[in-house]
Amino acid sequence: QSRATCAYVPGSLYEKLPDLASLSYPHQYYVDGTINFSDAWLDSKAAWRTVLIGGLRAGGQGIYALDITDPNSFSEASTNADPISLWEFTDANDDDLGNTFGIAPIAKFSDGNWYVVLGNGYNNTASDGNVGDGQAYLYLLDVDDGSIFKKFATGAGSTGDPNGLSTPAPVDIDGDNIVDYIYAGDLHGNLWKFDVTSTNVNQWGPIKQGNSPVPLYSDQYEDTSTNPSTFTRQPITTRPEVAYHPTESGLMVYFGTGKYFETGDNSATSQGVQSLYGIWDKEDNQAVEIERAHLKQQIIKAEVEVNSSWYRLITGVAINWHTGNGLPNGSNPSTQVGWHMDLIDPDTDKHEGERVVSQAFLRNDRIIFTTLIPSSAACEFGGDGWIMELAYGTGGRLDESPFDVDKDGDFDADDDITPDINTQFDTGSTDI
């Protein structure tokens, strides 16, 4: 049975459509954002509907919502098309919206309503007639009409030092299908936590110290090989992954750092060292700003070739969790509130432009990252990278190999790589 093909073009892109017919067409982006869809209750229709949310990414500063409940009704007839197109939200609605590179999830909140959860994205200071203030913001948009229900400022960023909030992660910690917390990173390397547990919506917002928002984690990578030391921000451009702490109360928040969307990001030296992180949120409502000094470090110790494939060998250092109040004291504390691993080549002790630009996943007590090492060569497909499978509690090596190293079709002890300590690692290392 044949079915008519139809498409949706966001209104904010209409003026760009004639360029597609130009004989001297210069490449530009249109609707290249990742879509997300979910069932939600729409008060305007007094019914459950399946709502699709899509962003323009590099194509523009905006998102759109479509009612895709009944695909059989899709057609260009106005009687069918009008109900499908629910709304658009662009920087014409709010100056602080940037390019919507992230995904906007739909979720139910404690006031009984459904909202689209949206980070404001990047480049909101562009000179396009709707100039933002450069801060990172979180929006809660009414799923019915796209109006702003809440807009949370972080205070991080300015027109002279622009910032932007990436894909948020709404989290339900008690299984009632209602969002309790929202986690999101920004381009300045801050990880934010927004508390929406209260039935009083006026109490919702980022964790604060006094009246000022405080990130759950914030720090910069210090390169001690230079004199004086140099500090580099580590942008967070992916959605955090969240899980219960494996041994203590509270939650673990996992993310990698790095970006890959601006001119020059395909350079191996454009961003400095990037890292993998696992941060402990104790859920004790204390406004703390975790830094790298409060985390246990795991290290990529070697890269070895076995059976024509390359593998990384990493440390498996135990973590002594800081169960007391506040944060560990001192520059090298004996207790920690998480872990980190820097993406540094073990042979050269330097980075190769490696970064994390896709979401981490938690599977079977493993936190899984894919990394990107971009290439600027025009004839290459874009670069390469690594699959990193780590113990989700420590960020260190697993008890067994996650890969079929000997390629016999089985995952067993024969896949373990036993390094020669004297040749592969520093002599006397106890971290292996």
Side-chain angles (χ1 to χ4, degrees):
Q1 181 179 359
S2 62
R3 178 177 295 173
T5 299
C6 55
Y8 171 76
V9 179
S12 59
L13 297 181
Y14 283 176
E15 63 182 23
K16 297 171 64 174
L17 294 181
D19 294 340
L20 293 171
S22 172
L23 295 178
S24 58
Y25 169 72
H27 174 69
Q28 55 186 310
Y29 297 94
Y30 286 82
V31 187
D32 66 327
T34 301
I35 63 171
N36 175 59
F37 58 89
S38 173
D39 291 341
W41 178 266
L42 298 189
D43 289 335
S44 62
K45 299 187 178 184
W48 285 96
R49 310 299 291 176
T50 302
V51 179
L52 178 149
I53 304 293
L56 306 185
R57 205 168 182 266
Q61 298 178 328
I63 66 169
Y64 56 91
L66 304 177
D67 182 347
I68 60 170
T69 307
D70 182 12
N72 292 317
S73 69
F74 293 179
S75 77
E76 295 181 355
S78 60
T79 54
N80 290 335
D82 286 346
I84 293 173
S85 178
L86 295 176
W87 48 264
E88 293 183 24
F89 179 77
T90 72
D91 60 341
N93 299 104
D94 190 90
D95 290 344
D96 292 313
L97 184 69
N99 285 83
T100 47
F101 274 71
I103 300 172
I106 303 170
K108 186 179 181 181
F109 285 71
S110 61
D111 65 346
N113 294 318
W114 294 77
Y115 299 111
V116 177
V117 187
L118 176 67
N120 71 317
Y122 318 134
N123 197 35
N124 72 1
T125 58
S127 300
D128 57 0
N130 301 298
V131 181
D133 64 10
Q135 285 193 49
Y137 288 94
L138 179 73
Y139 296 102
L140 297 184
L141 304 181
D142 190 308
V143 73
D144 263 286
D145 59 13
S147 61
I148 299 176
F149 176 70
K150 289 287 183 181
K151 177 184 177 183
F152 302 117
T154 64
S158 65
T159 54
D161 188 16
N163 196 1
L165 201 70
S166 302
T167 299
V171 176
D172 168 23
I173 64 171
D174 52 13
D176 62 357
N177 296 316
I178 294 174
V179 176
D180 297 296
Y181 305 124
I182 303 168
Y183 298 89
D186 68 23
L187 289 181
H188 286 188
N190 302 302
L191 176 69
W192 299 94
K193 176 186 178 182
F194 301 84
D195 187 341
V196 293
T197 55
S198 176
T199 55
N200 180 357
V201 299
N202 294 321
Q203 299 298 318
W204 295 358
I207 302 299
K208 293 183 177 181
Q209 192 171 68
N211 295 321
S212 300
V214 176
L216 179 64
Y217 170 82
S218 180
D219 206 357
Q220 300 181 52
Y221 176 82
E222 180 183 7
D223 184 355
T224 57
S225 66
T226 62
N227 187 17
S229 297
T230 57
F231 293 84
T232 306
R233 284 174 175 161
Q234 296 182 306
I236 304 168
T237 57
T238 60
R239 180 188 186 276
E241 179 76 315
V242 185
Y244 293 111
H245 194 288
T247 59
E248 307 291 340
S249 61
L251 304 171
M252 289 292 296
V253 186
Y254 304 97
F255 59 94
T257 67
K259 62 182 177 68
Y260 191 58
F261 60 85
E262 289 187 288
T263 300
D265 280 353
N266 60 344
S267 168
T269 59
S270 63
Q271 298 181 37
V273 174
Q274 305 302 323
S275 306
L276 313 177
Y277 287 94
I279 303 295
W280 182 19
D281 175 12
K282 296 183 180 182
E283 292 184 87
D284 55 9
N285 295 321
Q286 295 186 67
V288 297
E289 188 171 341
I290 298 171
E291 299 178 357
R292 286 168 63 93
H294 305 130
L295 309 176
K296 176 64 73 173
Q297 183 178 16
Q298 303 288 4
I299 299 173
I300 302 170
K301 296 292 285 188
E303 295 172 357
V304 298
E305 185 177 15
V306 182
N307 292 334
S308 301
S309 296
W310 283 88
Y311 300 91
R312 276 179 165 169
L313 304 178
I314 61 176
T315 57
V317 186
I319 296 179
N320 183 17
W321 295 103
H322 181 77
T323 56
N325 293 330
L327 294 171
N329 295 321
S331 59
N332 187 25
S334 59
T335 57
Q336 298 83 35
V337 290
W339 56 265
H340 74 89
M341 178 187 297
D342 299 328
L343 300 175
I344 295 177
D345 187 311
D347 295 323
T348 64
D349 287 331
K350 296 184 181 298
H351 75 94
E352 297 181 334
E354 188 173 7
R355 65 204 69 176
V356 176
V357 294
S358 56
Q359 180 187 340
F361 287 93
L362 187 68
R363 295 289 186 274
N364 299 321
D365 297 340
R366 301 173 180 184
I367 186 68
I368 304 170
F369 296 88
T370 59
T371 72
L372 170 68
I373 304 174
S375 171
S376 58
C379 294
E380 293 189 8
F381 59 85
D384 53 25
W386 294 83
I387 297 177
M388 305 284 289
E389 293 199 26
L390 314 174
Y392 83 119
T394 65
R397 74 175 186 276
L398 301 167
D399 292 334
E400 65 284 329
S401 172
F403 304 109
D404 181 17
V405 176
D406 61 5
K407 301 181 180 180
D408 65 352
D410 295 321
F411 291 81
D412 52 31
D414 293 335
D415 296 313
D416 292 342
I417 300 174
T418 304
D420 181 341
I421 299 295
N422 293 320
T423 58
Q424 297 287 358
F425 305 114
D426 296 335
T427 302
S429 173
T430 59
D431 294 340
I432 306 307

